[in-house]
Amino acid sequence: MPIRLKLNGFAMNDPFFHTAVARRLTCAAVTAALLAALPIQARADRFTMKTGESYVGHAERDGVIAGAFDGVKRTLFRFTRVEKQDAGAGSAAWESFRLIQPKKGSFTAGQMPGVLVGVTSEPWDEFGRRIIRFSPPRNAAKINQVTQALIEIGPKASKLRGVESYWTGQVTTSQIPRPVIVGLLNRIPPEEKDERLRVVRFYLQANWYPEARAALAALKKDFPELAENLATAERGVLEAEVTASLDDIAARLAAGHPPASVKPELAEAVKSAQTLSDVVKTRATEAMDQLEAAISNGTRRQRELQSAFDGSHSGGSGAGPGAKHLAAMIEALEYCPAKVEALFEPFDQYARNPDGVDPKKAWALALSAWVGGISLATEDIALALAFADAFEAIEKGARATGTDDRAAAASTMQSLLIPAMGGDRPLFAAEAQKIAERLRPSSKMIVPVPGKPLIYRVENDVNVVHSEYRITVPPGYHRLGQYPAIVVLNPGGTPDVAAEPWQEEAARRGWIVIAPDLQDSGAYHFTPSEHATVTLCLHDALKRLAIDPDRVFVAGALGGGDMAWDYALAHPDSLAGGVVISGLPAKYVPAYRSNNQIVPLYIVEGELAPGEKPVIMPFVKGQMLKNWDATYVQYNKRGLEMFPEEIPAVFDWMQGRRRPVDTEEFSAVSGREGDQRFYGLVIREFSEGQSMTPESVDPMGENLNPATIKARFLPASNQVQIMSKGVKAMDVWLSPRQFDFSKKVEIKLGGRTRFKGDAVASWSDFLEDLSARGDTRQTYFMKAELR
């Protein structure tokens, strides 16, 4: 008989399992299934995208828009962005357990609301129940509450029903505390051998290996006659656990964790693998061999670098030019080898020269690649030292806090002489661009301890209230590496609340989390000052931390989602993408939608969020129909929520995307002060009526008529062709990415030549821009004013 108890003021039954509908398996069949680490395959497709991420679920298709529905969420994307579709190779026939949950005495058959806002929930109790609260869409002050109960639990997704009324739904199982699930599964009667074996399989599919081992140990105690078969099953669980550990170690090494930091864990995996299959044993052994080889190669490379440096100088290791760079190389090879290894390919190749190695050539290759990247690697020691001098000048100018210091650095760059075949020459702008990309934060910078947040105040902030932001860095972070970053927004709220949901996944994957302090803003108001705070914090972080400028994303949920959508489209060339969770495309967003051509968007909404069906989904589908990079995720029967379970999928989506800095053409719109910079084209003055303040813009931006800019960069003719509407004055900043500074440059606006002449690099402008924005990939050397 079910246990009776009192809960929330009314009689409820203890939940129990509906074993009559559960699939019964024989002991032999279950044991065989346990030995197969992968679950039974079912009819569902896997879509692998050209950017690397994949989506699994039942395939859907509506013209050029495709989707994958996994029972919890529906992911939509344009089919032309799919690399391949594997039919029937995706999801699995997951083990699941049904529970009979009680109903309240006054249970009604009413339907759940059509719109859910302000959704919050209390913790789950031991019986798989929780209270959720929400507000009617037109009365935010009123709070309704419903008790939800789990009626089916699976390793990936679980189903819910209301206790007071028939309110169905589902939730990702990872969002339910593991002890709650384990406690429910432990309610299976001890004599139900086959059901308890299914529990082990459930734990395997959920990747809960300690729980699977504990369940098997209990089975061996209760059913000693199965000891031999269960011992085999235990090896299967261990094999799955070791495989998962090897996968995790490989991911952390790829994310930049130092090899020495994972070696003890890998050694344990190798030890455990000795009793497992040859496949797992071989993989573990090869992983350890590769790790030890990487550590050995790092040690060997440090020794060879020291030898090359000593051999090319008359003094000891601290004598002569380049000693500082040698120390930095050795430090980087020790603490972040995966981040810098590619820079030593020219040096390594020459060090294996069968005809012998000249120390000066070896050191020249190492030094030039270190200060200027692979494209500037040279065997000429004089040229390498000149590049090192240029690096010193650019570094001083970029870090200068005053105009005098920056002017001195610019003067040094102007007087630099670079050795060449026909005689010494000035430093080229293209070379300065490459050298700027190798700048890293000073060793004097205070950086957070991995896993512990640190608050930075923006340096040289002229505002009365100084901007601040919260930073966390991943394990293995080092200033000489380079790491992707996500800027998380929470207007009117604390940076902690914004950052905390992202930290664990960011740390595992090697990402920096930046959370600007937007508490003073209150609710999001779409103002230039709110954007300016985020931009100031990002620029400051780029100068303080080893951030890859081409892998910076902005994200936010609820009000932060509104802001992330708006900010990403307003500043598309400064970001690799925008992540919007439960955001609304309001104010400037509809008018700025075409900027999605420049910046990718990942948008997550609940099916029952306000405006989801009539406004948001059609809006995003319109982006997809134009073949802009937009991905839409709709959670089934969910409302306006934070969706923390979506964060791993967000990182998968971000992983394969980088900001394009070498664009050949672009089209952008702008209708607000501050949203005026696009690949070096800067709107200085709008025509009347083309720019509006946020309070003047309709809620969905119907009255906004933004200015437009289109540009084509033509390398063959060293020309840019610009078309604009609604712009009275514009600055065009020239970069060696788009122009050859050794030739004449032509700028056309509306078909008319507005500038034609020599491209003369202004070192002062270059250093001032680099010092202000900290963007080492988008650098500019000359300005043409178009009025």
Side-chain angles (χ1 to χ4, degrees):
M1 292 289 294
I3 300 172
R4 304 282 296 180
L5 59 112
K6 291 279 186 178
L7 184 65
N8 294 336
F10 54 87
M12 304 186 73
N13 291 327
D14 188 20
F16 66 92
F17 290 90
H18 196 304
T19 56
V21 298
R23 289 183 294 115
R24 300 294 188 121
L25 302 178
T26 65
C27 176
V30 172
T31 302
L34 286 171
L35 293 176
L38 299 177
I40 303 167
Q41 295 301 305
R43 187 68 183 179
D45 289 3
R46 178 182 295 275
F47 295 90
T48 302
M49 311 303 287
K50 294 175 182 177
T51 39
E53 73 273 23
S54 64
Y55 305 109
V56 174
H58 297 290
E60 301 175 343
R61 190 73 181 268
D62 181 11
V64 297
I65 297 177
F69 180 60
D70 65 4
V72 173
K73 65 182 182 181
R74 175 175 284 102
T75 304
L76 302 178
F77 39 82
R78 186 175 169 103
F79 192 73
T80 54
R81 298 188 176 275
V82 176
E83 179 71 30
K84 64 177 180 176
Q85 177 182 353
D86 298 319
S91 65
W94 304 111
E95 295 288 2
S96 63
F97 296 88
R98 297 189 182 181
L99 291 74
I100 293 182
Q101 291 275 9
K103 301 174 183 177
K104 189 176 180 180
S106 58
F107 182 86
T108 63
Q111 297 299 311
M112 63 192 304
V115 176
L116 283 175
V117 299
V119 181
T120 60
S121 62
E122 290 188 0
W124 295 89
D125 68 17
E126 60 181 314
F127 303 115
R129 302 163 191 149
R130 68 174 180 178
I131 294 174
I132 69 164
R133 295 184 175 88
F134 62 96
S135 302
R138 300 184 185 279
N139 186 6
K142 182 180 179 181
I143 305 296
N144 296 326
Q145 78 175 39
V146 173
T147 303
Q148 289 181 325
L150 292 169
I151 58 173
E152 184 175 330
I153 55 176
K156 304 301 178 183
S158 297
K159 295 180 181 179
L160 307 163
R161 176 182 49 74
V163 171
E164 295 91 350
S165 63
Y166 191 76
W167 187 349
T168 61
Q170 70 293 307
V171 65
T172 305
T173 303
S174 63
Q175 297 304 297
I176 306 170
R178 194 176 298 190
V180 172
I181 299 293
V182 173
L184 290 169
L185 293 176
N186 284 343
R187 294 174 183 271
I188 292 177
E191 66 273 13
E192 290 283 349
K193 175 180 59 182
D194 290 349
E195 291 304 300
R196 290 174 63 186
L197 284 166
R198 287 207 309 119
V199 169
V200 178
R201 184 176 171 84
F202 174 98
Y203 289 148
L204 273 174
Q205 293 174 339
N207 300 325
W208 295 359
Y209 303 112
E211 289 77 8
R213 291 199 309 271
L216 281 170
L219 276 164
K220 285 174 68 175
K221 180 180 179 180
D222 293 342
F223 302 97
E225 70 275 14
L226 298 178
E228 185 176 345
N229 286 337
L230 293 175
T232 303
E234 283 180 318
R235 285 194 293 274
V237 172
L238 181 58
E239 183 155 322
E241 186 171 17
V242 170
T243 299
S245 178
L246 292 173
D247 290 341
D248 183 63
I249 289 170
R252 282 187 281 147
L253 287 171
H257 293 225
S261 69
V262 302
K263 187 174 180 179
E265 187 176 343
L266 181 55
E268 284 297 316
V270 171
K271 182 179 178 181
S272 299
Q274 299 311 304
T275 60
L276 304 177
S277 69
D278 289 342
V279 172
V280 175
K281 188 188 304 181
T282 300
R283 183 186 172 190
T285 301
E286 289 178 349
M288 179 58 80
D289 290 344
Q290 292 170 1
L291 186 74
E292 290 181 337
I295 295 173
S296 175
N297 286 339
T299 304
R300 182 263 309 162
R301 192 180 283 125
Q302 293 177 33
R303 186 171 58 251
E304 290 177 344
L305 284 168
Q306 184 74 60
S307 177
F309 177 82
D310 291 343
S312 64
H313 295 75
S314 57
S317 61
K324 181 187 82 169
H325 295 294
L326 173 65
M329 292 179 203
I330 292 175
E331 185 180 358
L333 287 170
E334 182 174 356
Y335 293 105
C336 56
K339 298 290 185 180
V340 299
E341 188 169 1
L343 293 170
F344 294 97
E345 289 178 3
F347 173 81
D348 286 345
Q349 186 175 356
Y350 181 70
R352 310 279 85 76
N353 188 355
D355 298 325
V357 175
D358 181 339
K360 283 190 176 181
K361 290 183 178 181
W363 177 240
L365 285 166
L367 179 63
S368 55
W370 180 256
V371 300
I374 295 294
S375 63
L376 294 188
T378 176
E379 295 181 357
D380 187 331
I381 187 63
L383 183 56
L385 291 171
F387 288 152
D389 289 340
F391 181 95
E392 296 295 317
I394 294 172
E395 186 177 50
K396 287 180 180 178
R399 293 179 181 171
T401 56
T403 55
D404 290 345
D405 290 341
R406 195 155 45 246
S411 177
T412 299
M413 295 183 67
Q414 184 70 40
S415 61
L416 278 174
L417 294 177
I418 308 300
M421 290 288 291
D424 292 347
R425 59 168 177 80
L427 178 70
F428 293 152
E431 293 168 336
Q433 164 68 57
K434 295 295 183 183
I435 293 170
E437 292 180 14
R438 288 291 306 134
L439 294 183
R440 293 296 182 267
S442 168
S443 59
K444 298 178 182 178
M445 288 286 186
I446 299 174
V447 298
V449 175
K452 293 185 178 180
L454 184 66
I455 300 297
Y456 284 146
R457 172 172 287 187
V458 172
E459 292 184 327
N460 303 318
D461 187 353
V462 297
N463 295 314
V464 176
V465 179
H466 294 292
S467 300
E468 295 183 340
Y469 58 100
R470 178 189 193 272
I471 281 286
T472 53
V473 298
Y477 171 85
H478 192 275
R479 68 179 184 87
L480 295 175
Q482 203 169 48
Y483 303 81
I486 183 167
V487 181
V488 290
L489 306 177
N490 184 27
T494 67
D496 289 341
V497 171
E500 284 169 358
W502 300 87
Q503 285 178 182
E504 182 178 351
E505 196 68 19
R508 190 176 75 83
R509 300 192 186 226
W511 284 62
I512 293 170
V513 180
I514 305 169
D517 189 342
L518 299 168
Q519 294 183 65
D520 292 337
S521 67
Y524 181 50
H525 299 294
F526 295 83
T527 63
S529 62
E530 290 169 308
H531 284 219
T533 297
V534 177
T535 301
L536 280 171
C537 293
L538 174 57
H539 289 171
D540 193 71
L542 286 171
K543 291 180 284 186
R544 290 182 189 257
L545 297 164
I547 295 172
D548 183 346
D550 291 343
R551 298 190 65 199
V552 175
F553 295 77
V554 66
L558 302 175
D562 297 346
M563 188 175 186
W565 207 332
D566 185 39
Y567 188 89
L569 292 178
H571 310 276
D573 73 322
S574 66
L575 301 166
V579 177
V580 178
I581 300 176
S582 292
L584 182 68
K587 291 284 188 177
Y588 296 88
V589 172
Y592 283 16
R593 64 189 302 168
S594 63
N595 288 354
N596 186 197
Q597 298 172 79
I598 302 174
V599 61
L601 295 174
Y602 188 90
I603 298 155
V604 184
E605 301 285 347
E607 182 187 13
L608 303 181
E612 194 277 338
K613 288 182 180 178
V615 177
I616 303 174
M617 180 182 278
F619 182 88
V620 182
K621 279 188 173 181
Q623 314 286 82
M624 297 179 193
L625 290 173
K626 294 180 179 294
N627 203 23
W628 300 339
D629 190 354
T631 302
Y632 190 74
V633 178
Q634 180 204 62
Y635 270 80
N636 190 36
K637 296 183 180 179
R638 299 280 292 275
L640 201 66
E641 305 177 39
M642 300 282 286
F643 299 111
E645 62 266 49
E646 188 62 19
I647 286 176
V650 169
F651 277 97
D652 288 342
W653 178 84
M654 294 190 297
Q655 190 66 34
R657 285 170 169 79
R658 298 183 66 88
R659 175 184 65 168
V661 291
D662 297 323
T663 184
E664 294 182 357
E665 61 181 299
F666 73 88
S667 175
V669 302
S670 175
R672 171 176 45 194
E673 296 293 333
D675 308 345
Q676 297 156 267
R677 187 184 187 104
F678 307 97
Y679 290 108
L681 275 63
V682 181
I683 299 173
R684 284 302 177 200
E685 186 177 353
F686 290 96
S687 299
E688 187 174 353
Q690 306 293 152
S691 171
M692 296 180 66
T693 59
E695 57 268 22
S696 301
V697 179
D698 291 342
M700 296 307 293
E702 292 93 342
N703 63 334
L704 187 61
N705 181 28
T708 61
I709 296 177
K710 295 182 179 179
R712 292 181 62 207
F713 298 95
L714 306 174
S717 56
N718 221 31
Q719 178 187 107
V720 58
Q721 298 177 350
I722 305 170
M723 300 292 292
S724 69
K725 174 179 169 292
V727 178
K728 289 183 66 175
M730 177 192 309
D731 292 343
V732 180
W733 287 87
L734 307 184
S735 168
R737 292 191 176 282
Q738 279 92 22
F739 299 95
D740 184 346
F741 274 61
S742 68
K743 301 176 182 178
K744 290 187 180 298
V745 170
E746 184 175 14
I747 301 174
K748 287 189 172 184
L749 177 62
R752 293 175 48 217
T753 297
R754 302 295 299 273
F755 174 86
K756 189 171 185 177
D758 293 331
V760 180
S762 168
W763 300 120
S764 296
D765 288 346
F766 162 64
L767 293 176
E768 183 176 357
D769 179 69
L770 188 59
S771 177
R773 295 189 302 116
D775 191 335
T776 57
R777 290 275 290 165
Q778 275 192 16
T779 52
Y780 299 95
F781 294 76
M782 174 181 168
K783 179 176 71 172
E785 298 180 354
L786 307 185
R787 297 290 185 266

